[in-house]
Amino acid sequence: MLETANTAFFAAIGGEGRHRLGVPLGHLMPELGRQGFLGLLDRVYRTGVPYSGRDARVMLGAGADAREAFFDFTYEPRRDTGGNVMGVRVIGVETTQVKQAQRLLAEQRALLEQIARQAPLPEVLEGMARAIEELAPEQVLVSVLLADEDGRHLRHGAAPSLPDFYNEAIDGIATGEGVGSCGTAAHRREMVVVTDIGTDPFWDDFRHLADKAGLGACWSTPILARDGGLLGTFATYHRTPRAPQASDLALARVFAGTAALAIERHRAERGRLAAETRARAARDDLAFLLDASTALASDLDYGQTLQRVADACAPALAPLCAIDVMESGRVRRIAVAAPTGRRRALLSSHIPVYDAADDAVARVLASGTTEVARRTPTGPGPWQELGVTGYLCAPLLERGKAFGTLTLLSTGGHAFDGHRVALAEELARRAAAAARNARQYTQRVALARDLQAGLLLPDLPEVPGVDMAAHYHPAGEGLDIGGDFYDVFPLEDGRWAFMLGDVCGRGAVAATTTALVRHTARAIAPLLPGPDAVVNAVNKALLDRPPSHGTGFVTLVHGHLTPTPDGLEIELVRAGHTLPLVLGAERSVRAVEAAGLLLGVARDPRVSTHRLRLAPHESLLLYTDGITEARGGDGEEFGEERLADVLARVGPRPAARDVVAAVTGAVRSFTAGQDGDDDQAALVLTATGATAGAP
């Protein structure tokens, strides 16, 4: 029987109908019986032994009005003067708020751990919403909306207990005065409390939606960043009109701060990933361009350079690529790239028409500007067979004028965005420069080849009683005209003149000097008695040349030969040149010693004539220092001794071409096929003894 109680007791148990005394406690609070509290009272009354409990959970009330509460309590027996138990004194301290604070702290700690381990933002926000809905003493529905980067609209973040139609309807609402509780709170940057949605003007545009969702009140708190920027809103909804208590406001502030931390962390992580993605894309672009540039620089052939461009584009930038250039007023398709041979053949077979107004290539060649479209190119072409869905046509420019185009073709879902367009234009710029260099290189090589061909014999003449072979290999890539030369031409009375020389330097000046030596010797040799006179005349011509024609010196071997039935009679002059070598019939090798100075240096070169006789199958080798000074991988020179050893190992009775092949093969093997810094030339004269019909 409840004898007496203070006001705190009645406030705790709630309900106006329960404020009574003099009634059995089980009648006043029947829920206590089911939870065992009445049994504890009986036990203390019967035994006289006190009982204490800590953080005891009690459900007060029943049905929709029931609430969870926690108490620290003590049951003490009341005794009369004789020590008999007359009743029980109950002393309780409600700890519900402390318990809730502890649970709140635990939930917040769990959320912070999620944030620290970078859990997905939707997972953090939904966990926070569910925790608040469980912690609140009354039923609440929690919603978190996220602000756009510009802070003008709010997007759905988390609302696990609100109906889907409601979440979809408010997703993307604007921030502004009077736009519901959340839009207004985001606009004001302060908490907005709407205690009755049915009457508040902020909800005029959303009242029908709230009625459908069964919502009666909404309190919204802005979620702000450390710099004051808007991150979103945190809202608690109630089924019935209601004003917030101090604990509600504190709860909102705590979780708004936690949500701000989660959202800022998410934005920072998203920004970091975006920055890494941009950096990775920039690195990939740079690597692509560097690889393409390296490929372009690896070959100076015009056609192969543009083919490398096409191969670099497909499939990196587009599935299909074609490159067209203008040649002699017509468009020529010079390179294509495609994933299959059939597609390559189709793409190669299509040639744009230069003056066709409906052709993209023709328009870009005329305008010099890039053209991009998400459709098939205009004009005829195998577009349907190739499955083309879009194109990008970029010009190849030289001095501001287009000389060709780079066309990329899309298929399927591929499309050209601004990033691919920029890459294609940059590649086109580099390709144009590489193609221009390759074309200039090709033209220069052709020019050097044509000039060199004019300075060398196209073919050695047929000389009775003599087997002849020659070798010439320019240094480097053939861009410059070499300084080595040889010549064989007829004299009178069945005699022939021969020469092999080396002009100091390369290029146009060397070509001028070579022409001077050859043509002077050819002009005066028939008029002078011997090779020494010819060499002196050549020396005078070199000394008398204008300074603009060069001042470099010349080394030369010049001689006259006369075929005889038993071999060759030879007289020669050596002017500062490498020593000629004679390969005897028994594989003996000897040098031809003949004194003489360089030509073009002194008025008297002090040359002397040396006479020798070649028996049948004996050979005379004339060579330039590009052969003996060729270097191997360790820097060692090929040298005269190694040359003599090569000649000594030539087979018996070798033909002139066999001697040349042995020498050039040995040099090539010694240098591992690497070109040296100097030209190489050789001339072999082999006596045959067959002089029938000769004077």
Side-chain angles (χ1 to χ4, degrees), residues 564-575:
T564 66
D566 55 355
L568 294 176
E569 297 288 346
I570 296 176
E571 53 180 354
L572 60 82
V573 172
R574 184 179 73 90

Side-chain angles (χ1 to χ4, degrees), residues 588-673:
S588 61
V589 179
R590 70 178 188 276
V592 177
E593 299 287 349
L597 301 178
L598 302 170
L599 303 183
V601 177
R603 283 293 172 183
D604 182 6
R606 300 179 184 177
V607 295
S608 61
T609 302
H610 183 89
R611 292 175 175 79
L612 64 119
R613 180 182 186 82
L614 294 183
H617 309 300
E618 291 186 333
S619 300
L620 175 66
L621 169 65
L622 310 179
Y623 59 94
T624 60
D625 57 8
I627 290 178
T628 53
E629 293 178 2
R631 295 184 181 273
D634 57 359
E636 181 184 1
E637 291 186 352
F638 186 74
E640 296 175 355
E641 291 185 6
R642 189 174 278 107
L643 176 60
D645 290 341
V646 171
L647 293 177
R649 292 196 299 271
V650 177
R653 298 189 174 186
R657 64 176 178 275
D658 296 332
V659 177
V660 169
V663 172
T664 57
V667 173
R668 188 165 51 251
S669 176
F670 180 75
T671 61

Side-chain angles (χ1 to χ4, degrees), residues 203-223:
W203 282 81
D204 288 346
D205 295 335
F206 306 97
R207 189 168 290 115
H208 67 288
L209 191 65
D211 290 342
K212 184 178 178 181
L215 305 176
C218 179
W219 317 327
S220 182
T221 303
I223 304 173

Side-chain angles (χ1 to χ4, degrees), residues 282-468:
R283 288 195 300 271
D284 292 344
D285 292 347
L286 181 60
F288 169 75
L289 291 175
L290 287 176
D291 290 344
S293 298
T294 302
L296 294 179
S298 64
D299 200 320
L300 287 174
D301 180 85
Y302 183 60
Q304 291 182 5
T305 296
L306 292 178
Q307 183 59 54
R308 289 179 184 275
V309 176
D311 293 338
C313 288
L317 298 182
L320 305 171
C321 177
I323 297 178
D324 303 289
V325 296
M326 283 292 300
E327 291 183 354
S328 303
R330 300 176 64 86
V331 178
R332 176 190 170 201
R333 180 145 290 177
I334 197 169
V336 298
T340 64
R342 176 180 173 274
R343 289 189 169 190
R344 282 193 296 273
L346 281 172
L347 202 54
S348 298
S349 65
H350 170 249
I351 305 298
V353 181
Y354 172 56
D355 56 355
D358 63 343
D359 192 276
V361 171
R363 291 194 296 271
V364 172
L365 284 171
S367 66
T369 58
T370 301
E371 186 174 309
V372 186
R374 293 188 176 181
R375 56 174 172 77
T376 58
T378 55
W383 317 129
Q384 185 174 357
E385 297 92 328
L386 292 170
V388 175
T389 57
Y391 69 91
L392 182 157
C393 188
L396 304 178
L397 300 174
E398 182 175 5
R399 297 180 181 177
K401 185 176 180 181
F403 69 87
T405 59
L406 168 66
T407 303
L408 304 178
L409 300 171
S410 294
T411 60
H414 179 275
F416 295 108
D417 54 15
H419 174 249
R420 282 194 175 93
V421 172
L423 270 182
E425 289 183 325
E426 176 61 21
L427 184 60
R429 185 186 67 79
R430 299 188 181 204
R436 181 169 60 250
N437 293 338
R439 183 165 54 188
Q440 292 174 349
Y441 172 83
T442 302
Q443 293 171 348
R444 187 173 176 182
V445 169
L447 177 61
R449 184 177 60 247
D450 293 343
L451 287 174
Q452 190 72 56
L455 299 174
L456 296 174
L457 287 176
D459 292 299
L460 291 172
E462 294 285 343
V463 179
V466 185
D467 177 23
M468 288 187 291

